[in-house]
Amino acid sequence: MAGGQPSEGEPYAAWICILCGWVYDESAGDPANGVAPGTRWADVPDDWTCPDCGVGKDEFEMVEI
């Protein structure tokens, strides 16, 4: 998986599943499902699914944290 530090002035973001409320935090990633900490949302594989309810990336929205 892609990962690494954000560009200067570009903080990590969080994305929330609109179905179940599970939050993907770019700084934490989802190591249990193969996504390393520091992985930007755009770099999360398209076939990745929500660990809680199983929906795809298209059911997530960016949130302020």
Side-chain angles (χ1 to χ4, degrees):
M1 293 302 101
Q5 298 300 314
S7 299
E8 186 175 332
E10 194 176 329
Y12 286 117
W15 297 77
I16 189 167
C17 178
I18 60 175
L19 266 64
C20 74
W22 188 86
V23 175
Y24 175 81
D25 180 347
E26 291 179 337
S27 66
D30 183 19
N33 292 296
V35 182
T39 302
R40 296 297 186 166
W41 185 246
D43 295 326
V44 172
D46 289 336
D47 62 351
W48 177 87
T49 58
C50 176
D52 280 357
C53 71
V55 298
K57 285 178 61 177
D58 58 335
E59 298 296 332
F60 281 72
E61 295 181 352
M62 187 169 27
V63 294
E64 297 281 332
I65 54 170

